[in-house]
């Protein structure tokens, strides 16, 4: 059974950093590209970032480019999202999601498993 478990969210002030983690199990983690997506209740998902199987290729949404860094540790079956210079508009539930294959895609329809999400709230 595929499981994705996010952690690391919280309530922080603008300008600070958080690091999200996603522990993966139930599949060969190193064989799939992975992704971070965020969503506000009542709105569609917003793709944030994706990483290839080996971690050498990454891509980011314009809204987070230069502030967020996606990475993975295939030995630990864990995906990370380092979030710096957080802004109030980053407030959302953040999800990690597994791609259907190894190739990077930003199309959320190509993500077949999602975690339960972790809330990030940025407020002064």
């Amino acid at each position: 059974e595929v499981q994705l478990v996010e952690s690391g969210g919280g309530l922080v002030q603008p300008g600070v950093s958080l690091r999200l983690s996603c522990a993966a199990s139930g599949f060969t983690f190193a064989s799939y590209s992975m992704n971070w997506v965020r969503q506000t209740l009542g709105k569609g998902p917003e793709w944030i970032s994706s990483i290839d199987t080996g971690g050498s290729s990454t891509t980011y949404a314009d809204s987070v480019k230069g502030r967020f860094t996606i990475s993975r540790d295939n030995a630990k079956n864990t995906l990370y999202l380092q979030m710096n210079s957080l802004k109030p508009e980053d407030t959302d539930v953040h999800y990690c999601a597994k791609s259907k294959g190894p190739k990077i895609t930003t199309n959320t329809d190509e993500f077949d498993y999602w975690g339960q999400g972790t809330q990030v709230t940025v407020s002064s």
Side-chain angles (χ1 to χ4, degrees):
E1 177 189 5
V2 172
Q3 287 195 324
L4 300 169
V5 180
E6 301 94 337
S7 61
L11 170 62
V12 297
Q13 292 187 334
V16 303
S17 300
L18 279 176
R19 188 173 84 152
L20 306 184
S21 299
C22 172
S25 62
F27 65 103
T28 306
F29 181 71
S31 296
Y32 295 88
S33 64
M34 294 294 295
N35 315 278
W36 287 99
V37 183
R38 62 190 182 189
Q39 186 167 16
T40 299
L41 189 64
K43 295 186 178 180
E46 177 192 5
W47 168 79
I48 299 173
S49 183
S50 299
I51 188 168
D52 72 346
T53 55
S56 60
S57 180
T58 59
T59 185
Y60 300 91
D62 288 343
S63 58
V64 306
K65 195 174 295 182
R67 299 188 298 122
F68 290 10
T69 303
I70 189 172
S71 62
R72 65 190 296 163
D73 186 336
N74 287 343
K76 295 183 178 180
N77 288 350
T78 303
L79 178 72
Y80 302 99
L81 185 68
Q82 178 67 41
M83 311 166 71
N84 298 332
S85 302
L86 281 162
K87 304 176 181 179
E89 50 264 44
D90 295 318
T91 296
D92 251 326
V93 180
H94 287 67
Y95 300 88
C96 70
K98 171 186 167 294
S99 296
K100 292 179 180 178
K103 188 177 178 181
I104 279 187
T105 175
T106 64
N107 181 359
T108 58
D109 290 338
E110 295 299 315
F111 303 165
D112 54 2
Y113 290 93
W114 299 56
Q116 83 290 347
T118 185
Q119 176 70 47
V120 173
T121 302
V122 185
S123 175
S124 56

